[in-house]
Amino acid sequence: MTTTHDTYPLNFQLTPSPAARADAEREAMLADPGFGKYFTDHMVAIEWTADDGWHDATVSPYGPLMLDPSAAVLHYGQEIFEGIKAYRHADGSVWTFRPDANGRRLQRSAKRLALPELAIDDFVESLKQLVQVDEKWVPSADETSLYLRPFMIATESFLGVRAAHKVGYYVIASPAGAYFTGGVAPVSIWLSTNFSRAGKGGTGAAKTGGNYAASLLPQEEAYANGCSQVLFLDSVDTTYIEELGGMNVVLVYRDGTIVTPDSDSILEGITRDSILQLAEDRGHTVERRRVSLDEWRDGVASGDIVEVFACGTAAVVVPIGELKGEGVSIVSPVAGPDSLTLSLRAELTDIQYGRREDRHGWLTRLDA
């Protein structure tokens, strides 16, 4: 059976999966989903060619992609992706958080990687189409969600260093468990002094796989030193900090000022920007500027810096307990129950799960 979901300007053709998981099997997966272990029954695919633009939008059974061995993505890394969640509210409805911001970021990433830009309305519609078909996969336990992974790859078969003339956009989805099972706990971060994630004029501000591949070796170094994330320095002036392998860094000062590193090689974090907006709503001064490692060290030592945290889609907000590296140890104050770190985290997650008023219009319903 094939049905049509009409949208503008794309029409999504639905082909239901003949191998959709039975309710009991799906519920067993949702009871302990982990992260990125299980995938829903369907996926979105949209084709693009230089001659015809975006076309052939489908919701079809989840399964392998057919790529020629000479597909450009395999040889030249022309690839981008996004990460966004769908949340089950108390009334059973399903919502996502600031999808327009993810759509704009995908467009910026596409422009940097010489890929076609997908219209924001079509980006949001692709999320709706998948969630409406696989709505039963959205878990309802506390702090669980359905993680949506839109991505775009160069599918043209050729060898040659130029932008591909054929591209595929896809959305897959995976149920995600609570990031913290025993309560939010501070993490240790490893300071990388030998590796850079991105450089000036590079692809650091784009969400592309190559940036994350560059972080994997220093991430292994972090694990070996008992740390869960790695902090990278400015590739030109290594006295300044940039971001973690997959999260942004925020410093909280004694006078209430909130500071986050600013650089053209840092990914624009949607969670970070939302947290900073909530802080500004409370009257806090927010500064986006260069931050040196010495400022962090000296601020903690003097008591001027009272909290340090990281933020991103997966963990939302997590306190940083210690920054470790070769000859470096900066132990930050513990973020207690009444800390700004945990208060902002609670406010943001309350908005995402529909427990608190959405004053900024950040939520978009996906299941209707």
Side-chain angles (χ1 to χ4, degrees):
M1 179 183 72
T2 299
T3 59
T4 299
H5 291 172
D6 291 329
T7 62
Y8 180 82
L10 291 174
N11 294 320
F12 284 79
Q13 301 290 325
L14 168 63
T15 302
S17 172
R21 260 66 64 91
D23 290 349
E25 182 181 4
R26 184 183 61 253
E27 289 304 317
M29 294 177 181
L30 294 182
D32 185 22
F35 184 82
K37 290 169 52 180
Y38 308 115
F39 294 90
T40 67
D41 297 312
H42 297 85
M43 60 188 288
V44 164
I46 309 175
E47 297 295 322
W48 178 90
T49 61
D51 291 335
D52 299 326
W54 292 107
H55 60 280
D56 290 345
T58 64
V59 183
S60 56
Y62 180 94
L65 300 179
M66 297 296 292
L67 288 176
D68 191 281
S70 67
V73 66
L74 303 177
H75 302 272
Y76 306 108
Q78 214 181 349
E79 177 270 350
I80 58 174
F81 66 97
E82 271 299 322
I84 188 169
K85 291 178 177 179
Y87 307 91
R88 177 83 68 184
H89 285 193
D91 64 358
S93 60
V94 179
W95 302 71
T96 193
F97 182 75
R98 301 189 68 184
D100 54 329
N102 287 88
R104 288 192 296 271
R105 189 168 67 180
L106 188 75
Q107 288 183 333
R108 293 192 296 272
S109 296
K111 185 175 182 179
R112 180 62 185 85
L113 271 292
L115 288 163
E117 296 180 25
L118 182 69
I120 293 173
D121 286 349
D122 288 329
F123 172 82
V124 175
E125 186 62 30
S126 72
L127 307 181
K128 290 182 178 180
Q129 292 284 332
L130 183 56
V131 167
Q132 288 171 14
V133 173
D134 283 343
E135 182 266 337
K136 290 182 179 180
W137 282 90
V138 183
S140 57
D142 188 40
E143 291 222 4
T144 61
S145 61
L146 182 67
Y147 182 80
L148 300 164
R149 170 53 61 88
F151 64 100
M152 192 183 299
I153 61 174
T155 57
E156 184 183 0
S157 302
F158 78 102
L159 296 178
V161 184
R162 62 162 172 79
H165 296 166
K166 184 180 179 182
V167 169
Y169 166 82
Y170 308 91
V171 186
I172 57 176
S174 174
Y179 193 88
F180 299 102
T181 56
V184 180
V187 297
S188 295
I189 305 298
W190 179 254
L191 177 65
S192 179
T193 55
N194 298 320
F195 301 99
S196 295
R197 178 181 176 274
K200 183 176 177 60
T203 58
K207 200 167 178 67
T208 180
N211 294 338
Y212 295 84
S215 74
L216 296 181
L217 181 58
Q219 182 65 59
E220 289 298 318
E221 189 177 70
Y223 291 148
N225 286 275
C227 297
S228 59
Q229 283 269 344
V230 57
L231 174 70
F232 292 98
L233 299 173
D234 186 292
S235 62
V236 177
D237 187 342
T238 56
T239 62
Y240 292 95
I241 66 173
E242 289 220 320
E243 63 179 345
L244 307 183
M247 303 178 78
N248 297 117
V249 179
V250 179
L251 310 176
V252 181
Y253 285 73
R254 183 167 47 193
D255 65 358
T257 300
I258 296 176
V259 177
T260 190
D262 184 46
S263 166
D264 62 6
S265 58
I266 292 178
L267 182 69
E268 183 179 332
I270 295 167
T271 300
R272 181 195 63 174
D273 288 351
S274 303
I275 287 289
L276 297 181
Q277 179 62 62
L278 295 179
E280 288 182 329
D281 292 347
R282 299 184 185 190
H284 290 270
T285 298
V286 172
E287 297 179 1
R288 297 169 175 83
R289 58 172 173 80
R290 302 186 80 186
V291 178
S292 69
L293 185 61
D294 285 342
E295 179 179 349
W296 185 345
R297 180 191 292 108
D298 295 345
V300 168
S302 68
D304 285 339
I305 293 177
V306 295
E307 300 175 37
V308 183
F309 64 85
C311 51
T313 301
V316 187
V317 171
V318 55
I320 296 177
E322 182 180 8
L323 177 65
K324 300 195 298 185
E326 298 293 341
V328 175
S329 176
I330 305 175
V331 180
S332 301
V334 176
D338 298 325
S339 65
L340 182 63
T341 297
L342 297 187
S343 176
L344 288 171
R345 185 184 194 278
E347 183 177 1
L348 183 60
T349 55
D350 280 351
I351 294 170
Q352 291 170 334
Y353 286 94
R355 299 186 293 257
R356 193 178 302 213
E357 181 186 0
D358 173 21
R359 300 189 309 275
H360 294 282
W362 283 338
L363 294 177
T364 295
R365 188 166 183 176
L366 296 179
D367 63 329

